Amino acid sequence: MREPSSVGFEANGVVSPTPIPPQPLLERLKDYGQEDAFALWDELTPDERHFLVKDIEIFCPFHIRFAAVSVSVHRIEALHILSLDLSRIDRIIRCSLRSQGLPTAAIEPVPESSVSTVEDRTQEERERWWKMGLKAISDGKVAVLLLSGGQLLYLAFVSQFPLSLMWSDSAKKHKDAHYRNICSNIGLPSGKSLFQLQAEKILCVQRLAAQANESSASSVQIHWYIMTSPFTDEATRKFFESHKYFGLEAEQGTIPCVSKDGRFIMETPYRVAKSPDGNGGVYSALKYSKLLEDMASKGIKYIDCYGVDNALVRVADPTFIGYFIDKGVAAAAKVVRKAYPQEKVGVFVRRGKGGPLTVVEYSELDPSLASAVNQATGRLRFCWSNVCLHMFTLDFLNQVANGLEKDSVYHLAEKKIPSIHGYTTGLKLEQFIFDAFPYAPTTALFEVLREEEFAPVKNANGSNYDTPDSAKLLVLRLHTRWVVAAGGFLTHSVPLYSTGVEVSPLCSYAGENLEPICRGRTFHAPCEITF
């Protein structure tokens, strides 16, 4: 054990009194049963005591930072720090613990009328929705929200604007793998990161919207809000300070890890164990940072939300936006059909007879229900997988922020948490982006093909699924089909199933307008096709 350094000696050899914890702060902790945070005070150095006091004094469990980036350059506008006090933290802990074990309404399959399936969609509908979406983008009514806010940050500099990428890292031992997966590239011929690919898709769809509505390219802007966390704050600051064109707007973040009786777990004698509060913290952050007001002032009405770890994501998809507007709903989600009953994905369900649509995680779905088949359609009864591709109205986001804050119920995940006693079993509290759906008066689901829009990157190469290599092949195969459909030809020196071509998003958003580039030409795979 370290020597207690709180006792000092004055010049005359008299022992100086031991400093005590700040009484107002200690009394406040006692009010909520968290005074054990100061249990090892006497063993701390002066610097460690200072650190502990600051850690508790400025506790910011929802510490969310957004980089608000218009794809045409924006300057820095404002920085807002969101801080919640101990009473709010205490309420979250108590409400979340109390909710465990309470009976919930039985789940039912999503009604067929709530889903636009691929086979039922007509070409006329697709074209109409595409045009509606491009019009909304051209009119400045669409914003994009990138969800992440984990513990690992990647900063890229693409074209004429700065970008920051956050990666949710639940296990520190996988940090290096996640960095390679997202921050460098996934092995595509271009060497581009996922983040750069997404940025270029936004640039492309802006150009398409300008052309379709006879606007100047510079007049069409999609505002891009990018979420980071305190774990990435310092690197974010340094990056943005080193470049001259960007806008920072708010903050997400962390919440204490607690024992099963609701007490803070101490990671060290002078630091409370914390974890990211889940991407659902975005709603409160948007509200308290006044970004919802900012969106309203810009004329934004529709927000496209997505997760960063999808190599085939169609950011600001005009067809999805048009469908959403046409249906007039408050919330919508792209879904893919579950590949097999035991696939580890959450699925959309109806909670109770006539109740709202919501998402049930795979671990919460009884195996018999997961395997049940709808005899009329031949599909699994619970088949619509949530892949974190959502659309909300601005009005609904305001409603959700208020509702989630009022209810204060978080998901509790039992985890091994680093503590002063080694790894101990405790609880992490999280909200998720899909927690919004039960608040929606109307929700619509939009089926997309897995091979066209879902290539997750969640694991390092060498894992059995969802790796950079598997995502790379899905991209190459899709783009190869685009090129062949546009009249192009391929040569290859390795089997075609293991290679292909990459089409730059600056050339084509979803396979359109490739004939002038590809017809009659031969491309040797692997390669990137650009202008």
Side-chain angles (χ1 to χ4, degrees):
M1 180 180 292
R2 82 180 80 198
E3 289 295 323
S5 55
S6 55
V7 178
F9 291 87
E10 297 177 356
N12 59 6
V14 177
V15 178
S16 62
T18 302
I20 60 175
Q23 284 304 297
L25 187 57
L26 180 59
E27 292 302 318
R28 187 151 178 78
L29 286 173
K30 286 181 179 179
D31 289 342
Y32 299 105
Q34 303 293 356
E35 65 273 16
D36 285 352
F38 282 125
L40 298 177
W41 177 266
D42 289 345
E43 298 182 18
L44 302 182
T45 67
D47 285 346
E48 289 169 343
R49 289 174 181 164
H50 177 76
F51 191 98
L52 176 59
V53 169
K54 292 301 180 184
D55 192 43
I56 296 172
E57 267 185 350
I58 59 172
F59 226 83
C60 300
F62 291 101
H63 217 58
I64 299 179
R65 186 173 303 279
F66 288 93
V69 182
S70 289
V71 180
S72 61
V73 178
H74 266 241
R75 299 289 178 179
I76 186 167
E77 297 175 6
L79 179 64
H80 305 276
I81 303 298
L82 173 60
S83 176
L84 298 183
D85 62 20
L86 284 168
S87 63
R88 171 78 171 128
I89 300 171
D90 180 69
R91 182 182 172 195
I92 290 171
I93 294 171
R94 287 188 295 104
C95 289
S96 301
L97 289 171
R98 192 165 56 239
S99 71
Q100 299 303 295
L102 294 178
T104 57
I107 61 172
E108 297 182 354
V110 173
E112 295 294 318
S113 60
S114 297
V115 187
S116 169
T117 60
V118 172
E119 63 262 29
D120 292 337
R121 219 170 284 152
T122 67
Q123 185 62 30
E124 185 274 332
E125 284 178 322
R126 292 189 185 94
E127 292 175 356
R128 178 163 53 86
W129 291 334
W130 175 265
K131 291 177 182 177
M132 290 176 67
L134 290 178
K135 183 66 166 63
I137 292 169
S138 178
D139 291 343
K141 296 180 179 179
V142 176
V144 170
L145 175 59
L146 169 57
L147 299 172
S148 187
Q151 298 177 6
L152 181 65
L153 171 68
Y154 172 62
L155 302 174
F157 188 76
V158 183
S159 186
Q160 297 182 4
F161 53 93
L163 306 169
S164 61
L165 172 64
M166 293 61 58
W167 181 254
S168 183
D169 182 10
S170 59
K172 291 183 179 179
K173 66 180 180 180
H174 294 309
K175 273 188 178 181
D176 291 342
H178 287 326
Y179 185 89
R180 289 193 299 270
N181 292 354
I182 305 300
C183 307
S184 301
N185 60 72
I186 60 169
L188 292 170
S190 66
K192 294 174 182 175
S193 68
L194 293 187
F195 203 55
Q196 179 169 348
L197 295 172
Q198 293 160 16
E200 291 181 356
K201 287 177 184 178
I202 294 178
L203 289 171
C204 182
V205 80
Q206 284 185 163
R207 186 181 70 246
L208 291 171
Q211 293 171 349
N213 294 280
E214 299 181 350
S215 305
S216 65
S218 61
S219 68
V220 177
Q221 294 183 359
I222 295 176
H223 296 275
W224 197 7
Y225 297 87
I226 305 171
M227 189 169 104
T228 68
S229 78
F231 300 103
T232 65
D233 179 66
E234 183 179 356
T236 304
R237 285 177 180 269
K238 288 180 179 178
F239 173 78
F240 282 102
E241 287 170 0
S242 68
H243 299 91
K244 302 301 182 182
Y245 13 81
F246 60 91
L248 276 182
E249 298 263 13
E251 289 231 340
Q252 177 205 0
T254 62
I255 195 164
C257 300
V258 298
S259 61
K260 291 184 178 181
D261 62 358
R263 293 180 180 273
F264 293 169
I265 293 174
M266 299 301 293
E267 182 176 352
T268 71
Y270 52 90
R271 189 198 309 272
V272 177
K274 310 178 193 74
S275 65
D277 68 329
N279 54 25
V282 68
Y283 300 116
S284 293
L286 286 170
K287 173 185 175 181
Y288 283 103
S289 64
K290 300 189 182 300
L291 275 177
L292 295 177
E293 294 178 16
D294 177 75
M295 291 179 182
S297 71
K298 289 180 167 68
I300 293 167
K301 295 185 179 297
Y302 315 112
I303 295 88
D304 178 29
C305 303
Y306 74 98
V308 70
D309 55 350
N310 180 358
L312 287 177
V313 61
R314 294 186 181 179
V315 186
D317 179 4
T319 303
F320 186 39
I321 295 168
Y323 166 78
F324 179 69
I325 295 171
D326 192 36
K327 292 299 178 183
V329 293
K334 285 184 175 181
V335 292
V336 300
R337 297 192 190 195
K338 203 172 182 181
Y340 50 91
Q342 293 76 35
E343 186 180 12
K344 293 183 177 181
V345 291
V347 293
F348 277 91
V349 303
R350 169 159 277 175
R351 179 68 73 178
K353 192 171 184 63
L357 298 191
T358 187
V359 174
V360 172
E361 289 285 60
Y362 67 89
S363 58
E364 301 170 356
L365 190 62
D366 186 272
S368 63
L369 291 178
S371 302
V373 175
N374 183 328
Q375 298 302 321
T377 63
R379 292 194 292 263
L380 294 172
R381 294 183 69 223
F382 298 94
C383 69
W384 300 119
S385 300
N386 171 45
V387 290
C388 198
L389 302 171
H390 303 146
M391 189 77 64
F392 303 117
T393 64
L394 182 58
D395 289 342
F396 176 61
L397 286 186
N398 277 291
Q399 175 190 337
V400 169
N402 293 328
L404 287 174
E405 180 180 19
K406 178 182 177 183
D407 293 343
S408 298
V409 175
Y410 280 52
H411 301 269
L412 297 177
E414 189 171 302
K415 302 285 186 180
K416 292 292 185 181
I417 296 168
S419 77
I420 55 177
H421 306 296
Y423 278 86
T424 185
T425 300
L427 301 172
K428 290 186 177 182
L429 295 93
E430 296 178 297
Q431 283 184 327
F432 299 120
I433 192 70
F434 57 72
D435 288 337
F437 286 97
Y439 294 88
T442 50
T443 300
L445 304 183
F446 187 82
E447 183 193 7
V448 296
L449 296 177
R450 182 184 294 257
E451 60 268 25
E452 293 184 355
E453 298 198 37
F454 189 49
V457 185
K458 297 182 181 296
N459 303 308
N461 283 328
S463 300
N464 293 328
Y465 56 90
D466 297 347
T467 65
D469 282 348
S470 65
K472 174 189 69 175
L473 288 177
L474 287 170
V475 172
L476 295 179
R477 289 168 185 170
L478 175 64
H479 290 192
T480 295
R481 294 196 294 273
W482 289 355
V483 170
V484 172
F489 301 94
L490 263 68
T491 61
H492 47 93
S493 51
V494 297
L496 189 56
Y497 65 78
S498 63
T499 188
V501 295
E502 175 191 358
V503 175
S504 167
L506 297 175
C507 287
S508 180
Y509 180 81
E512 78 290 335
N513 301 329
L514 286 176
E515 288 83 356
I517 302 172
C518 298
R519 183 164 299 281
R521 293 185 61 191
T522 299
F523 303 92
H524 184 74
C527 70
E528 181 194 21
I529 298 174
T530 61
F531 281 115

